[in-house]
Each structure stands twice: as C-alpha cells, then as structure tokens.
Amino acid sequence: MEAHALVARLMERELQFPFMALLISGGHNLLILAQGLGQYIQLGTSIDDAIGEAYDKTAKWLGLDMRRSGGPAIEELAREGDAESIKFSIPMKQHKDCNFSYAGLKTQVRLAIESRNINAEIPISCASSQDRRSRADIAASFQRVAVLHLEERCERAIEWALKIEPSIKHLVVSGGVASNQYVRARLDQVVKKNSLQLVCPPPSLCTDNGVMVAWTGIEHFRVGRFDPPPPAVESEDFVYDLRPRWPLGEEYAEGRSEARSLRKARIHPSLTSIIQASLQQQH
C-alpha cells in the first residue's frame, strides 16, 4: 500500500510531502495522509469489501467479459445505461467517518439482478436488447453509487487532513480501480472544489507492479533506511516474520468508527510507528 502511494512521486516530481492518498483496489480501500516518508496517518479504511471486489462481483453477476477484470467491463457497459434508474442507497451515510463498506451495495445489486431475472449464464454479447438495457442500467446505477461513496469519504478526509496539514496541495489516487476514467473524473471534481490537485499514476502503474515496489525501496534507501543483505548461507532454523495484516499508519482519532465490526486486533505495530521508533533509537 505504501508503494501505491509513493509511485506517484516517480512520475510527478513536484509531488512533495505532505499529501493525501486514496488507494483503491480489489482488496483495499485506504485513505491516508502522508506527512513524510514512513510517516502516515490512516484516515479511513475498508470495514468489509473493497470497491474493486464490488466491481468484479457485479460484472460477474451481469454476465460480462471478465478477461480484463470487472472494472473496465462495468465502466464500458455503464455508458449505455441510466445511472438514475435504480436507487441504490449510498453505504454508511449515517457514519460520519472516512471508512468504506461495499458489502451492502453488493447485496443491493444482487437483489436487483435477481428481480429482473438476469441470467449471468447468458453472456452480455448474446443478451436481447431489453436484457442488455437492464444490465446497463444496473451497471450505471451501481457505478454511480459506488463512486459517490468514494466522493463522500474523500470530502471528509480532505477536511480532516487540512486541519492536520494545511499545506496539502495534492490527492494521489492509485490502485487498480484508479484506472477507471469515471472514478478519476468524479474525484477530480471533489479535489478541485477543495482547491487541490488530483494525481493519478498511469494505468500501467496503478495495478500491482514491480516498479512501484522498487521505487519505494529507492525512496527509503536514499534516506539510509535499509536492511543489511541476508547471510550467504541461512541457518536451517531461520524464521521469516510474515505479516499478513500490517497497518501502514496510525489511525486518526476521529476516524475510529463504531461501524468497524472487523476483528482488527493490531497484531503488528504500524509501519509508521516502527520507523519512528528506529529514528528515536538513532538519536
């Protein structure tokens, strides 16, 4: 997730700390304030499904071509539909935080598909014109509400971030879903309204890639932050510390949501707190 946030600095040399980042992919939704390299405040995160997962499931239920993943397929079909035709409710309207939830919207979409007797076994290419229109209306209505949820969370996160760091000028949007042109256009309106600038890496660097990981290594290496090389011969009892869930930053106090039902026991300290502790040891 840090690599997704930092790769924009490879392409946009004017992008200086502090800045905000929205990371949106199949597995993650994350809003952070990057105060410096290794200094991150988590403003919001997924409490269940991420937006990319919702796009993929919706595309699958609508019988779309999944060879390019669900996002591009939904975006393409949505252009043919009426985005106001189905009134899906926006997730978490009652929670005044910056966290994300797409599980409920997925359920709404599934019920809408079932009520229209859409058969995902019949691919969109073979659907009748009326069936295709129904699918397009669902795709467009889903996309409108899915992205409205992003917009609302970003609006509040910008407000919070400017209270902490009034000098912020940029919002970085990265991760696989950041390739979606509709998402970019809508978020561009949000940042302009707040006198900020939207920065999106090119689509090839939005999805998981080696360049962003290498660049993050370079960023840390430049400031003398690196591990010594491993021994030429590792002992048989050598243990790797695997961290399946490793928070990027410390949670912003106002961002702690009562809606977070996920079992979020912090097994590991955040990357930010580890780096801060190592800096204090050096001094």
Side-chain angles (χ1 to χ4, degrees), residues 57-63 86 88 106-120 134-135 138:
K57 275 289 192 304
T58 300
K60 185 180 176 184
W61 293 335
L62 289 173
I86 304 165
F88 295 130
K106 273 170 54 182
T107 302
Q108 291 181 70
V109 169
R110 184 173 52 76
L111 293 173
I113 289 168
E114 286 173 4
S115 71
R116 286 159 181 76
N117 297 316
I118 291 167
N119 183 359
S134 288
R135 297 190 202 201
I138 291 171

Side-chain angles (χ1 to χ4, degrees), residues 114-183:
E114 286 173 4
S115 71
R116 286 159 181 76
N117 297 316
I118 291 167
N119 183 359
E121 299 296 316
I122 301 171
I124 187 80
S125 55
C126 302
S128 67
S129 59
Q130 186 179 346
D131 188 11
R132 186 182 180 94
R133 197 175 310 116
S134 288
R135 297 190 202 201
D137 285 347
I138 291 171
S141 300
F142 157 75
Q143 180 167 254
R144 181 182 70 84
V145 172
V147 178
L148 262 175
H149 186 34
L150 288 184
E151 292 173 52
E152 286 189 352
R153 273 24 205 167
C154 283
E155 286 265 17
R156 186 172 291 116
I158 289 169
E159 192 182 308
W160 289 358
L162 286 170
K163 273 197 281 184
I164 305 166
E165 294 279 3
S167 62
I168 291 166
K169 292 185 173 63
H170 300 92
L171 170 67
V172 171
V173 180
S174 191
V177 181
S179 304
N180 181 304
Q181 293 304 310
Y182 178 82
V183 170

Side-chain angles (χ1 to χ4, degrees), residues 248-266:
L248 183 57
E250 294 301 290
E251 214 172 349
Y252 182 50
E254 279 189 56
R256 294 200 176 97
S257 168
E258 294 167 22
R260 295 181 69 183
S261 58
L262 46 136
R263 297 178 292 282
K264 275 283 179 182
R266 283 270 169 101

Side-chain angles (χ1 to χ4, degrees), residues 1-4 6-7 10 205 207-220:
M1 301 317 301
E2 182 184 32
H4 275 304
L6 294 180
V7 72
L10 172 62
L205 296 181
T207 51
D208 291 346
N209 62 87
V211 171
M212 69 179 191
V213 176
W215 173 253
T216 302
I218 289 168
E219 288 255 44
H220 283 283

